[in-house]
Amino acid sequence: MDVLSLDIMVAALRLAMPIALVALGETFSERSGIINIGVEGTALAGALIGATVAFFSGSSVVGLCAALGVGMLLGLIHAVWCVYLRADHVVTGAAINLLVIGLALFLTRVVWGWRGTSAAVPTLNPWILVWGMVGLIVLAQVYLFRTPWGLRLRVVGEHPQAADTAGINVFRTRVAYSVLNGALCGLAGAFLVNNLGRFSVGMVGGRGFIGIAAMVVGNYRPIPAFLAAYLFGFVDALQMRLQDVIPSHFSIMLPYVLTVVVLAGFLGRAHVPAALGKPYIKDQG
Amino acid sequence: MNNRERSLSGEAVRLEGIVKRFSGVTANAGIDLSLNYGEVHGLLGENGAGKTVLMSVLYGLYRPTEGQIYLKDRPVAISSPAVAIRAGIGMVHQHFMLVPRLTVADNMVVGWETLWGPFLDRSRIRRRIGELSEQYGLEVDPSARVEELSVGEQQRVEIVKALYRGAEVLILDEPTATLPEQEVESFFATIRALRDEGKAVVFITHKLREALTICDRVTVLRKGEKVGTVPASQATESQLAEMMVGREVVFEVQRERVASEGQPLLRVEGLTAVDDRGVPAVQEVGFTVHDHEIVGVAGVQGNGQSELVEAICGLSRLRQGQVMVDGEDLSGAPPRKMAQAGLVHIPEDRHRRGLILDFSVGENSILGRQYESPFAIGQVGQSKRAIAGYARELVERFNIVVPGVRTPARALSGGNQQRVILARELDRKPKVIVAAQPTRGLDVAGIEFVWEQLLAMRREGAAILLVSMDLDELLTLADRLVVMYQGKLVGERKPGETDKQEIGLLMLGGAVETA
């Protein structure tokens, strides 16, 4: 068996895509100061709603748009909770994760009569999305470090008072990037549906959390985060081929074991945005 | 050009009847103020007098409850800092608004970027910064990261940042509070250069001497009200002090002669300590403080004073050396043992080390003694009643202004926070007091209080080690002065036999040691 063929490298790109999208979204969100561990649930919501809408409309593109929409909605809810109501970011994110699982079990039952899975839904050529995403990552890197909006975003996450006194609206910035994060997670979910041709409640399977890990390993930079995501995707592709050699119970573990090992090495080395997770409280004016 | 010249003379800003209330508390009660181009206007007042609030209103951070702002005689509504910046108003905040990890250039332009298409035009930005820093003699390196800069350099960055945004009215909020003594003079030169260019400069301070040195006119605020505006050339320190405090202030402290019995209460020998990064910060330092004696430690901030204090007080690990308190060897003993032996510590950072801001005044007043009876009941209990009673007693005896002993320490003014710490520590009847910058950031009344307390302890026989950045304070209080430079003691002087120049030179490592 030729493990390191071009074939597996390309397959890895496809498997890395949802992880990379989440990593990118979370990079934007955390750069603005908002932690969102609800990315796991947001991706699942994107998959669920994307599949449902595609199923009824018969159009994969409409499904995709619906996935984006539900992601943005969840991103907005998270932002409103964290920014204006000063809720704990992690608790809010966890709530989103739980909410979506419940919704998925309910909706699949109502629509298809099965617990947790859908019927087959229309799909489109995944490679359009894959290459589009690679372009998006490069754009994001340039946006973050070469444009005024990227600079403002970074200042908001590092020192919101400084941003405020420089005339930047901290609240609006945080909400906007949280919504963007939601959109990218929703897209990640839609992509998973597109890969499988149907929805299943376990289909995100920790890829949201691995996306956060990829962001940390990439030190809050889009291209390095993408490379980290690609590494996870590669191990995922690898383990599929290894299933003939070692029992699948063990091979399936590989990406998760890798996450733990890699994170242990990188955690603490990454520079976390200084104002991450802290609500910005403006004096009453 | 002519047009511009004309626009930069006369009245820049006029505030009329500015009232600012925060949920019932009046911070500004109808203040009128007029700022001219080409003048340095001092805004003088004690902490909490409303200086910063007034200028925050002008900068758009707060919206005034009542009142009107005029820019060049036109009424304007400044609803946000963005509006203020566009109107040519810049503010350098007391706590710098800079992101440590970003470059100087990025910090300067954020929110006001120079673009090339959709991108930051970093080379043009650097050029513009270079021009500005040359024009005003403000040396800054645009590609350095802010975290690598000293406080003085960061301040220059803040000023150039405001100028980059086209500020013609420049508000400086307590700019000298964090500046080392040596850099104040060159900073004043910068302010004069700005004034001569026609800028209207507002200089917020509570230091009288500085106000008189640098300002053309001085407006004094007290408790949110304007006391008056006077030309600096016709004002005296005591007159301004009276305006500020509302009563006569005695600057000469009564430092009666008390004879030391020559008993060494604190003895430090060959002490070596490292800083947070493990770099040696104190090397082979030794000195003795006797009963009835105040020994001052002078030095530019960051020359090992903080590490010295932490090593003495048992807050950091002692690398080498000995600390003896009243003859007892306590080298490397933990803080609790130190305190039991009679050594107390007034920490330099009262927010981080002196108080737990979210705890009540009562709880803060027994910190370090929480395990003692009657505050503790057995191993796990706590007597709320004993704590509150004790705190109330301290509040009374030390004149602490608090709504109640259950108020969180966070809600107190800086001066009252420091009173809580002093009350707590000094009430333990210590033999040795290690006071690190005990008057930093305090207003006149607060400084007076701390000085009185320290002198009272000296009278009662305590040995006091006083670390301060303020040479005047050291020369006023100390019986002996030692100077720290790069982690070593480089000289010892008696206040009566030296002056600020000599100490200043020693602090910069410039003088030859005369034995």
Side-chain angles (χ1 to χ4, degrees):
Chain A
M1 187 185 67
D2 188 4
V3 171
L4 284 173
S5 63
L6 183 67
D7 187 35
I8 191 174
M9 309 272 267
V10 175
L13 196 59
R14 192 167 148 179
L15 288 167
M17 170 150 174
I19 298 171
L21 283 173
V22 172
L24 182 64
E26 189 75 6
T27 297
F28 278 117
S29 175
E30 296 208 4
R31 281 274 186 184
S32 82
I34 294 193
I35 307 166
N36 189 355
I37 66 156
V39 287
E40 178 86 11
T42 309
L44 189 64
L48 173 70
I49 302 300
T52 312
V53 171
F55 179 77
F56 284 115
S57 68
S59 158
S60 53
V61 175
V62 175
L64 195 77
C65 293
L68 279 173
V70 72
M72 289 165 80
L73 179 68
L74 288 175
L76 180 68
I77 291 172
H78 184 67
V80 168
W81 246 259
C82 296
V83 173
Y84 295 104
L85 306 176
R86 294 175 204 156
D88 187 290
H89 298 193
V90 173
V91 173
T92 310
I96 289 175
N97 289 339
L98 293 175
L99 176 84
V100 175
I101 289 176
L103 189 69
L105 295 174
F106 171 74
L107 207 62
T108 46
R109 178 149 226 176
V110 170
V111 176
W112 295 286
W114 304 319
R115 228 177 118 77
T117 51
S118 77
V121 299
T123 60
L124 74 168
N125 183 350
W127 295 104
I128 301 169
L129 291 172
V130 170
W131 294 114
M133 175 203 64
V134 173
L136 191 67
I137 302 270
V138 176
L139 268 182
Q141 180 89 15
V142 174
Y143 178 89
L144 200 51
F145 296 105
R146 298 263 176 258
T147 72
W149 309 287
L151 176 61
R152 292 175 192 187
L153 165 62
R154 286 182 287 143
V155 172
V156 166
E158 288 284 343
H159 196 334
Q161 286 87 355
D164 199 2
T165 55
I168 298 162
N169 189 321
V170 175
F171 302 130
R172 234 186 285 160
T173 305
R174 289 187 166 172
V175 172
Y177 286 104
S178 184
V179 169
L180 175 66
N181 182 18
L184 291 171
C185 293
L187 189 60
F191 187 80
L192 286 168
V193 170
N194 201 62
N195 269 352
L196 202 65
R198 64 172 67 229
F199 172 81
S200 149
V201 73
M203 71 190 314
V204 176
R207 285 182 181 79
F209 295 121
I210 295 178
I212 296 178
M215 172 203 66
V216 172
V217 173
N219 202 1
Y220 300 85
R221 287 156 199 270
I223 290 177
F226 165 73
L227 294 177
Y230 184 79
L231 177 68
F232 291 120
F234 181 79
V235 174
D236 210 3
L238 192 66
Q239 65 88 7
M240 286 182 188
R241 324 251 148 150
L242 286 178
Q243 286 187 7
D244 324 328
V245 190
I246 50 177
S248 67
H249 302 87
F250 293 103
S251 70
I252 285 175
M253 280 186 204
L254 268 180
Y256 304 97
V257 172
L258 179 77
T259 307
V260 173
V261 172
V262 171
L263 262 191
F266 277 86
L267 215 62
R269 257 187 244 177
H271 175 85
V272 180
L276 184 63
K278 293 177 194 144
Y280 180 55
I281 301 170
K282 206 176 150 94
D283 288 316
Q284 65 249 83
Chain B
M1 205 59 206
N2 256 338
N3 238 340
R4 188 180 158 84
E5 297 267 305
R6 217 173 306 137
S7 75
L8 281 181
S9 65
E11 191 180 60
V13 175
R14 191 166 75 249
L15 304 179
E16 278 185 10
I18 299 293
V19 175
K20 178 66 195 170
R21 284 191 208 98
F22 296 101
S23 51
V25 181
T26 306
N28 289 155
I31 295 178
D32 301 326
L33 185 70
S34 161
L35 308 173
N36 295 331
Y37 287 115
E39 92 167 330
V40 181
H41 196 115
L43 205 50
L44 193 66
E46 297 209 275
N47 293 340
K51 308 173 297 252
T52 303
V53 171
L54 185 67
M55 286 301 110
S56 298
V57 167
L58 177 57
Y59 190 63
L61 286 166
Y62 300 144
R63 235 160 284 179
T65 317
E66 283 168 38
Q68 182 63 51
I69 301 172
Y70 296 87
L71 277 179
K72 296 176 192 158
D73 246 1
R74 273 202 324 272
V76 288
I78 301 178
S79 53
S80 75
V83 175
I85 294 167
R86 270 198 294 277
I89 300 169
M91 184 161 177
V92 175
H93 300 263
Q94 190 180 357
H95 304 285
F96 297 147
M97 295 298 171
L98 300 172
V99 180
R101 299 195 71 233
L102 295 186
T103 63
V104 167
D106 281 358
N107 267 292
M108 279 186 190
V109 301
V110 65
W112 198 261
E113 300 88 353
T114 306
L115 298 183
W116 181 79
F119 304 109
L120 293 166
D121 191 342
R122 290 209 161 96
S123 65
R124 231 167 79 207
I125 289 168
R126 266 199 291 276
R127 244 192 340 266
R128 179 86 189 106
I129 293 171
E131 286 165 19
L132 282 169
S133 65
E134 200 165 317
Q135 187 181 352
Y136 295 99
L138 288 157
E139 202 187 309
V140 290
D141 172 9
S143 45
R145 276 176 196 250
V146 166
E147 62 196 346
E148 299 160 359
L149 305 183
S150 72
V151 174
E153 288 170 315
Q154 291 188 26
Q155 188 155 53
R156 289 206 288 275
V157 172
E158 280 278 27
I159 293 172
V160 178
K161 175 175 158 188
L163 296 173
Y164 193 98
R165 286 149 206 251
E168 291 174 349
V169 177
L170 190 61
I171 305 161
L172 307 170
D173 191 357
E174 306 240 0
T176 55
T178 43
L179 214 55
E181 190 102 19
Q182 288 70 26
E183 290 181 30
V184 170
E185 215 19 77
S186 71
F187 174 68
F188 281 177
T190 303
I191 295 185
R192 289 193 190 99
L194 291 166
R195 179 192 60 194
D196 296 343
E197 283 281 326
K199 310 280 184 200
V201 180
V202 180
F203 185 88
I204 302 179
T205 186
H206 58 246
K207 294 183 188 161
L208 301 165
R209 197 166 312 142
E210 288 183 353
L212 287 174
T213 311
I214 188 69
C215 300
D216 300 305
R217 287 192 295 165
V218 178
T219 294
V220 181
L221 302 185
R222 191 202 315 145
K223 293 185 179 145
E225 294 193 38
K226 176 172 158 179
V227 184
T229 301
V230 291
S233 55
Q234 289 164 32
T236 63
E237 270 190 52
S238 56
Q239 177 198 352
L240 288 179
E242 207 177 317
M243 287 170 82
M244 251 169 87
V245 184
R247 61 177 166 83
E248 226 177 302
V249 182
V250 194
F251 277 104
E252 296 304 312
V253 291
Q254 306 303 310
R255 220 167 60 85
E256 61 276 84
R257 298 181 69 85
V258 258
S260 168
E261 289 158 25
Q263 220 182 326
L265 289 183
L266 174 67
R267 171 172 248 151
V268 174
E269 269 170 36
L271 186 143
T272 297
V274 295
D275 67 11
D276 301 336
R277 290 161 302 164
V279 180
V282 183
Q283 286 166 32
E284 298 278 330
V285 165
F287 57 85
T288 306
V289 190
H290 301 91
D291 64 287
H292 297 96
E293 186 181 43
I294 299 181
V295 172
V297 180
V300 177
Q301 188 147 24
N303 273 282
Q305 299 96 317
S306 307
E307 289 81 5
L308 174 69
V309 166
E310 288 185 4
I312 292 175
C313 299
L315 289 164
S316 67
R317 235 189 61 191
L318 205 59
R319 267 299 163 94
Q320 226 175 34
Q322 258 192 331
V323 178
M324 317 262 285
V325 177
D326 198 12
E328 192 182 344
D329 186 354
L330 287 172
S331 316
R336 182 181 289 192
K337 244 181 135 188
M338 289 287 182
Q340 284 162 347
L343 179 143
V344 300
H345 175 208
I346 316 289
E348 63 177 351
D349 187 341
R350 67 182 76 102
H351 290 164
R352 271 184 51 226
R353 285 240 148 120
L355 297 166
I356 302 175
L357 290 174
D358 290 320
F359 280 20
S360 69
V361 169
E363 286 161 326
N364 271 295
S365 72
I366 60 145
L367 279 186
R369 300 174 69 178
Q370 68 281 358
Y371 58 91
E372 283 177 17
S373 164
F375 309 127
I377 305 165
Q379 290 299 312
V380 290
Q382 213 186 27
S383 168
K384 295 245 184 230
R385 188 196 287 191
I387 293 169
Y390 176 69
R392 266 192 285 272
E393 187 198 318
L394 288 186
V395 163
E396 185 137 332
R397 263 176 38 217
F398 288 83
N399 286 319
I400 307 170
V401 182
V402 284
V405 294
R406 287 161 76 182
T407 310
R410 189 183 291 286
L412 269 53
S413 71
N416 282 306
Q417 289 176 342
Q418 190 70 338
R419 277 172 203 245
V420 172
I421 297 170
L422 250 77
R424 174 182 76 210
E425 300 302 332
L426 301 188
D427 194 52
R428 306 186 78 158
K429 304 273 172 285
K431 294 179 202 157
V432 180
I433 300 164
V434 179
Q437 305 202 44
T439 59
R440 179 156 79 169
L442 300 188
D443 56 25
V444 176
I447 294 171
E448 236 184 356
F449 173 81
V450 173
W451 285 7
E452 276 168 17
Q453 291 300 323
L454 289 179
L455 289 170
M457 293 310 289
R458 170 175 171 272
R459 205 179 311 128
E460 282 168 33
I464 299 170
L465 185 71
L466 173 66
V467 178
S468 179
M469 301 299 132
D470 183 353
L471 275 186
D472 291 312
E473 174 170 83
L474 290 171
L475 291 169
T476 308
L477 294 180
D479 299 288
R480 270 191 300 140
L481 271 179
V482 293
V483 182
M484 248 187 127
Y485 175 69
Q486 295 193 342
K488 293 186 180 130
L489 294 190
V490 293
E492 184 178 326
R493 296 286 185 276
K494 290 212 157 141
E497 299 159 10
T498 185
D499 53 23
K500 278 174 88 167
Q501 274 69 33
E502 193 193 9
I503 300 290
L505 265 174
L506 282 169
M507 283 163 66
L508 294 172
V512 194
E513 171 73 355
T514 49

